[in-house]
Amino acid sequence: MICVDNSEWMRNCDYPPSRFLAQADAVNLVCGVKTESNPENTVGLMAMAGKDVRVLVAPTSDVVKILFCMHGLEVEGEANLTAAIQVAQLALKHRQNKNQHQRIVVFVGSPVRDEKNVLEEIGKKLKRNNVSLDVVDFGESDDRKPEKLEALVAAVNSGGNSHIIHVPPGKTALSDVLISSPIITGEDEGSASAAAASGASRFEFGVDPELALVLRLSVEDERARQEAAAKKDAEESSKAETKGESSTSDTGTVMAEAEIASNTSLEDMKCKLKDEIDLLRKAQEMLLEVEENSGKDTGSETANAADCEMSDGASDDMDLTLALQLSIQKGKTGAQSSKVFEDQSSVTSIIDSVRSEA
Amino acid sequence: MAAAAPAAAPAAAAAPAPTVPAPQVPRGQVDLVDFVDWSGVECLNQDSSHTVVNALKQGYRDDEGLYLASDSDEQLLIYIPFMQVVKLHSALFKGPEEEGPKTIKLFSNKEHMGFSNVSDYPPSDSLNLSSNHLVENKLVQLKYVKFQNVRSLTIFVDNNQSGSDVSKIQKIALYGTTVDTTNMKDLKKIEEH
């Protein structure tokens, strides 16, 4: 159960871009990591400030619902930490799957008004009911706040299941600090898997990370196959050159000889290449579509990543159209196959150069 | 030893000085430890280094050094599901004289209770243990009629003998029969120290 601080204290911009947005990013991260680490995990969301402490999203495995809620959340009022924790505990008590372990993640950005002993009482109650607590201490920091929160977590802690992390204001994003903290790395999952999960989700934002992986694999497969086809072409041309006594400079006659010698195999290769190009094109299109959707979303990193991919895609696209056109041409004019072959070798060389760039 | 009548274990007559007499499994009953569904056993407010396994499992519960201890306060809530439906006849609790449990409430077939709703339902049975029960392996008779169809048992330890902050239980043994088969020939007689 994630408790977000949406009090007026969150308007401050000492955590870029603003405390509230940094917190939203962090919530996104926690949601993603939790739901990806175990398919049976559920995450809920509640707001601590405003007119009342309220549950925004009951525990669910649908991350999109939570993100949507975060997006629409308003900054208002004062946060009530004790009430929030108690409501969170109640919400967890009524979870659907009673076998799930109960955990509350609290983002405390405003100053803590409650006394230390009250917090300790609450902590004890959580421990009795087997609920663990993670606290992210950021934002306002007076002298007693870290001490109070430490006492709270110490009261709940039973065998290292509860953690607290203090994040001072600065350039590093809240979510970056969280990634390496035990709140994300947790008890058994390593930071590598969590980083991979967050990396994957950042790469293909809004798309199922499994789909992203499949897309990536298929694109790589196509590239590998194209490479193999290109190598075959190169081999054929080199064989042709050795057959003909003339040097590599005289491509015209060599190509003609090669063409005569192994016409059928060339045809096959060209057909294969055309098929592969089609497939690759489709994959690229899908990829571009996805990035168009992701490009609109938050985070300059995602935008940058999308930009890079788009430029690569664009250049590949041009080559592909060129290659397609050539192969269509070849279909029409059988006699000019030598010319086509020449062009095709240039096409493959272009593809090689693009691949070396990418 | 001949199977004595159920309940009261014989006083330490023949043995030298104060040895604890072995509990006699009541006639017709079986130790239900074999029917406990261990994957579902839970205990609220247990100390993580002294868990409920120490009090329930065969082997652990006989070790004097291993016990179940409470954490924040003296109450404990133990949830024991069974692999099949059983009838409960009697129970045995073993613990230290001071910190052993005093008032125990038993709830049959109530899943996942919390400390907040122990007072919501009337208990299936309520036990008041004395230090004799804890030390002398005295079996406690349960209200048999209330435990005819038990899928899961919740044991709520309300307080302990001396009123200290920590409750300790060394052993919990449940005796009864399974509903499906009551094969008298399979009865195991367990002699424990």
Side-chain angles (χ1 to χ4, degrees):
Chain A
M1 197 74 198
I2 303 182
C3 300
V4 279
D5 187 349
N6 58 328
S7 64
E8 293 282 352
W9 300 95
M10 302 303 286
R11 290 193 197 275
N12 196 331
C13 293
D14 50 1
Y15 294 80
S18 86
R19 282 186 192 167
F20 186 66
L21 291 174
Q23 188 188 223
D25 204 22
V27 167
N28 173 16
L29 173 70
V30 172
C31 281
V33 168
K34 294 293 179 187
T35 42
E36 275 164 41
S37 63
N38 188 328
E40 288 195 6
N41 279 351
T42 58
V43 184
L45 188 70
M46 45 179 293
M48 299 207 290
K51 233 172 60 160
D52 255 324
V53 166
R54 62 194 188 284
V55 176
L56 299 168
V57 182
T60 168
S61 47
D62 186 6
V63 181
V64 179
K65 217 189 266 186
I66 297 175
L67 301 182
F68 181 71
C69 242
M70 269 312 292
H71 188 71
L73 196 55
E74 297 282 321
V75 175
E76 54 179 351
E78 286 275 342
N80 189 343
L81 183 61
T82 44
I85 293 182
Q86 285 169 327
V87 172
Q89 193 181 345
L90 201 63
L92 283 173
K93 192 170 158 195
H94 293 286
R95 64 196 185 285
Q96 283 190 320
N97 182 357
K98 301 285 182 191
N99 289 323
Q100 286 169 331
H101 182 70
Q102 304 171 78
R103 176 177 291 274
I104 303 177
V105 180
V106 188
F107 287 84
V108 189
S110 40
V112 177
R113 302 233 178 275
D114 312 289
E115 287 304 319
K116 193 167 160 188
N117 52 355
V118 173
L119 290 175
E120 280 177 349
E121 280 297 313
I122 301 231
K124 260 196 185 177
K125 243 184 92 180
L126 287 177
K127 182 151 75 153
R128 258 167 56 116
N129 288 295
N130 218 6
V131 181
S132 35
L133 178 70
D134 288 330
V135 176
V136 180
D137 171 18
F138 70 114
E140 290 298 305
S141 58
D142 53 30
D143 285 330
R144 310 218 1 247
K145 183 179 170 191
E147 179 194 328
K148 283 185 193 174
L149 293 175
E150 288 275 358
L152 171 63
V153 176
V156 184
N157 198 1
S158 155
N161 61 355
S162 304
H163 317 93
I164 179 167
I165 167 170
H166 307 273
V167 186
K171 285 231 177 106
T172 48
L174 190 61
S175 41
D176 288 338
V177 179
L178 271 183
I179 283 186
S180 47
S181 80
I183 293 180
I184 296 294
T185 55
E187 293 90 32
D188 33 34
E189 50 198 309
S191 53
S193 65
S198 56
S201 59
R202 238 184 289 200
F203 168 59
E204 301 280 354
F205 191 96
V207 172
D208 187 15
E210 282 175 14
L211 177 60
L213 188 67
V214 166
L215 277 175
R216 213 182 302 145
L217 283 176
S218 66
V219 167
E220 280 170 12
D221 265 344
E222 291 309 321
R223 285 224 179 102
R225 263 194 274 172
Q226 263 219 317
E227 233 176 273
K231 270 192 197 146
K232 258 198 216 168
D233 279 343
E235 272 178 26
E236 281 292 323
S237 63
S238 65
K239 265 193 219 164
E241 283 173 1
T242 53
K243 269 190 201 165
E245 69 280 359
S246 52
S247 61
T248 55
S249 54
D250 193 3
T251 47
T253 48
V254 169
M255 290 312 133
E257 277 185 19
E259 186 262 320
I260 293 165
S262 53
N263 202 1
T264 48
S265 61
L266 266 176
E267 302 262 8
D268 288 345
M269 279 199 312
K270 279 173 201 166
C271 288
K272 275 188 213 159
L273 195 61
K274 187 180 172 197
D275 290 343
E276 285 159 6
I277 288 165
D278 281 335
L279 282 169
L280 187 57
R281 195 141 191 250
K282 281 185 194 153
Q284 287 287 2
E285 277 171 8
M286 280 165 68
L287 207 64
L288 287 173
E289 259 184 297
V290 161
E291 264 131 18
E292 268 174 63
N293 297 334
S294 74
K296 295 178 196 157
D297 275 299
T298 58
S300 52
E301 303 125 334
T302 52
N304 285 339
D307 283 344
C308 293
E309 280 293 332
M310 289 214 47
S311 59
D312 277 351
S315 59
D316 276 351
D317 214 14
M318 289 196 311
D319 294 329
L320 291 171
T321 47
L322 183 64
L324 256 179
Q325 280 168 10
L326 289 172
S327 40
I328 290 168
Q329 256 188 339
K330 173 256 158 191
K332 284 185 189 164
T333 62
Q336 292 179 359
S337 48
S338 55
K339 211 179 177 188
V340 174
F341 187 76
E342 198 177 328
D343 289 332
Q344 194 154 54
S345 63
S346 67
V347 165
T348 54
S349 66
I350 293 170
I351 292 176
D352 275 333
S353 64
V354 165
R355 208 173 303 109
S356 59
E357 277 173 43
Chain B
M1 297 283 118
T19 39
V20 179
Q24 307 293 340
V25 180
R27 177 176 282 163
Q29 311 297 328
V30 191
D31 189 334
L32 295 173
V33 69
D34 301 320
F35 301 102
V36 171
D37 178 10
W38 294 105
S39 61
V41 169
E42 274 175 18
C43 180
L44 293 186
N45 199 30
Q46 64 178 346
D47 186 346
S48 45
S49 44
H50 298 281
T51 60
V52 67
V53 177
N54 293 351
L56 281 179
K57 258 198 177 162
Q58 197 77 282
Y60 291 79
R61 63 187 190 177
D62 299 318
D63 188 339
E64 296 281 333
L66 294 177
Y67 52 86
L68 162 66
S70 67
D71 202 351
S72 311
D73 58 14
E74 74 281 5
Q75 294 183 331
L76 282 166
L77 194 62
I78 308 168
Y79 173 70
I80 305 174
F82 294 101
M83 290 199 268
Q84 53 173 263
V85 180
V86 296
K87 297 186 209 240
L88 286 181
H89 179 268
S90 45
L92 173 71
F93 292 91
K94 193 165 155 209
E97 266 192 77
E98 299 261 315
E99 293 111 344
K102 189 160 86 177
T103 315
I104 298 188
K105 291 195 183 148
L106 298 172
F107 299 85
S108 126
N109 296 335
K110 291 274 187 321
E111 313 260 293
H112 300 108
M113 290 182 77
F115 286 106
S116 47
N117 51 5
V118 279
S119 32
D120 287 351
Y121 321 104
S124 307
D125 201 353
S126 190
L127 309 173
N128 226 314
L129 299 180
S130 67
S131 44
N132 287 350
H133 286 103
L134 297 173
V135 179
E136 285 175 25
N137 277 333
K138 227 164 116 170
L139 283 169
V140 185
Q141 293 272 44
L142 304 175
K143 283 190 193 141
Y144 197 46
V145 286
K146 298 264 186 176
F147 296 102
Q148 288 295 300
N149 210 342
V150 178
R151 263 250 145 230
S152 71
L153 181 69
T154 306
I155 303 176
F156 173 56
V157 176
D158 207 348
N159 49 30
N160 54 42
Q161 298 286 332
S162 58
S164 72
D165 270 340
V166 178
S167 299
K168 292 187 188 169
I169 307 179
Q170 272 166 342
K171 175 173 168 181
I172 302 174
L174 300 166
Y175 298 102
T177 51
T178 56
V179 170
D180 297 333
T181 52
T182 322
N183 194 345
M184 303 290 277
K185 295 189 189 141
D186 287 308
L187 278 185
K188 290 184 286 179
K189 208 147 63 117
I190 303 161
E191 266 184 289
E192 285 146 322
H193 287 279

